[in-house]
Amino acid sequence: MSGDGRRRTLRVLVVDDSAASRDELVRMLHGADGLVVAGTAADGEQGLAEALRLAPDVVVLDLQMPRMDGFSFLRLLMARRPTPVVVLSSQSRRADVFKALELGALDFVARPDRGGLGAVREALLEKCATVRALRIQNLSAGVRALDARELEPARIAVVGASTGGPSALQRLLAALPGDLPLAVLVAQHMPERFTGAFAERLARGSHFSVVEAVDGDLVVAGRALVAPGGHHLELARRADGVLRAAVLPPGAPGPGARHCPSIDRLFRSAARVLGARACAALLTGMGTDGCAGMAAVKAAGGLTLAESEETAVVYGMPQAAVERGAVDALLGLDALAARLIELAREARAP
């Protein structure tokens, strides 16, 4: 690498529903001409989540995919995190290419109708080299790179649940529009090895991108991060000034917690980082986890919501927070979702 940093590694995300194509693209790109494949995805929904999490330098995208096609992926990516995209498209689907370019794709490579992708290797590497050249030009001209702080949502909601929580969270997230300028962090009492599948289940019924949180995940609008079982999830503002998820082991320094994930720890972190901009929602569950965290959010000037006995499977956690005087509004689940929508839209309004 030269001293001016112009040969810095270019991080690529590959989004293609064909496992064979993904493997071939990884072999083709990884390590070639300073490229590294930072991640792969099998459909647009997963691709969008990975693009927001990994913040790649360039995306190599197939257009024809299940669940969320390449066109929907492009619309959402360009709205949430504009990123150079190189499209792979069959020569027989030329109209698709022009549609993708109109949606913000940087360039395209014609995928062979038969055979593997080896024939397009040089063209694909050339398109990726163009991304590097564009970055160099921008840096030389003093153009500021996209500041990740611009990706911050208008509001952030931290949500806690225990017994009855899986169905309550499914109903809550399903009610949130995909274009809502809101990010959600969830602590659901659930053991290890279950939360990944739980997040996938939530994603299938939601307009949001829902994933199991990984340490360092960006907190962005239209995304819900679920605490991994056996780990605490906290909100953190890192040294770069960007809001990210912090995933911590059970024994990590901080207030003691009976449960892991701890709702109290998630809520306290929101109060600490966001202050009066924090919003905490405590759903159904047995016990008192979340009660101290709700009090911390309220003391910081944030908004505290709790699920009412009307819809809560177990009213224990909300009731404990109410008795402590830590709840601003006690709402049924649908009304609680409506309040979150209203909150986010009010914050976005000029």
Side-chain angles (χ1 to χ4, degrees):
M1 181 179 294
S2 60
D4 63 6
R6 295 186 179 190
R7 294 293 296 167
R8 190 177 77 82
T9 299
L10 204 70
R11 300 170 64 253
V12 184
L13 172 65
V14 173
V15 185
D16 195 312
D17 67 315
S18 165
S21 292
R22 288 198 307 275
D23 290 345
E24 190 172 2
L25 286 166
V26 169
R27 289 193 300 270
M28 185 184 299
L29 295 170
H30 194 76
D33 195 30
L35 303 179
V36 60
V37 176
T40 63
D43 57 58
E45 185 176 297
Q46 183 185 8
L48 182 63
E50 289 297 277
L52 296 176
R53 183 177 73 87
L54 297 170
D57 299 306
V58 59
V59 177
V60 175
L61 175 70
D62 180 32
L63 291 175
Q64 305 302 321
M65 295 181 294
R67 296 181 68 186
M68 179 192 291
D69 63 21
F71 304 118
S72 298
F73 170 88
L74 279 167
R75 288 190 191 94
L76 293 170
L77 180 67
M78 295 308 164
R80 298 179 187 179
R81 189 189 187 280
T83 302
V85 175
V86 177
V87 166
L88 281 172
S89 180
S90 168
Q91 297 184 40
S92 62
R93 305 182 73 101
R94 296 177 186 175
D96 287 353
V97 167
F98 295 114
K99 181 177 178 181
L101 295 174
E102 289 171 0
L103 290 171
L106 175 69
D107 211 334
F108 72 95
V109 173
R111 180 193 291 270
D113 289 331
R114 288 187 293 273
L117 294 169
V120 302
R121 180 179 185 275
E122 292 306 317
L124 194 53
L125 293 179
E126 180 183 337
K127 306 302 182 186
C128 291
T130 300
V131 174
R132 178 181 284 116
L134 287 172
R135 176 192 290 138
I136 294 167
Q137 290 170 11
N138 288 342
L139 292 175
S140 299
V143 177
R144 176 180 55 80
L146 178 67
D147 187 338
R149 280 169 290 191
E150 295 176 4
L151 302 174
E152 287 189 16
R155 295 302 293 253
I156 296 169
V158 287
V159 181
S162 186
T163 307
S167 59
L169 285 164
Q170 195 163 21
R171 183 170 162 184
L172 177 69
L173 290 173
L176 303 180
D179 62 350
L180 194 67
L182 177 77
V184 178
L185 282 77
V186 174
Q188 161 71 51
H189 293 166
M190 190 172 283
E192 291 184 78
R193 297 184 296 277
F194 285 85
T195 44
F198 175 53
E200 291 177 4
R201 180 185 174 191
L202 290 175
R204 287 194 293 271
S206 173
H207 301 291
F208 269 40
S209 168
V210 187
V211 295
E212 184 181 50
V214 174
D215 189 61
D217 272 345
L218 285 171
V219 176
V220 295
R223 190 177 198 202
L225 299 173
V226 177
H231 292 75
H232 298 300
L233 175 64
E234 295 187 358
L235 180 68
R237 193 180 291 280
R238 299 290 170 88
D240 58 4
V242 179
L243 287 173
R244 296 182 183 272
V247 175
L248 307 169
R258 178 181 176 185
H259 298 280
C260 189
S262 165
I263 301 170
D264 276 330
R265 288 194 64 149
L266 174 59
F267 285 9
R268 284 191 178 111
S269 72
R272 183 172 62 249
V273 173
L274 299 175
R277 293 180 59 229
C279 173
L282 189 59
L283 307 185
T284 174
M286 189 178 298
T288 61
D289 192 18
C291 181
M294 290 279 275
V297 171
K298 188 172 178 63
L303 176 67
T304 56
L305 309 174
E307 184 180 2
S308 68
E309 192 171 7
E310 171 193 0
T311 59
V313 173
V314 179
Y315 185 53
M317 296 193 314
Q319 183 177 28
V322 168
E323 291 175 351
R324 185 163 176 167
V327 177
D328 291 319
L330 191 62
L331 302 168
L333 203 54
D334 293 338
L336 197 154
R339 183 68 186 95
L340 290 179
I341 294 169
E342 180 184 30
L343 182 74
R345 288 181 172 160
E346 284 175 350
R348 181 174 59 182

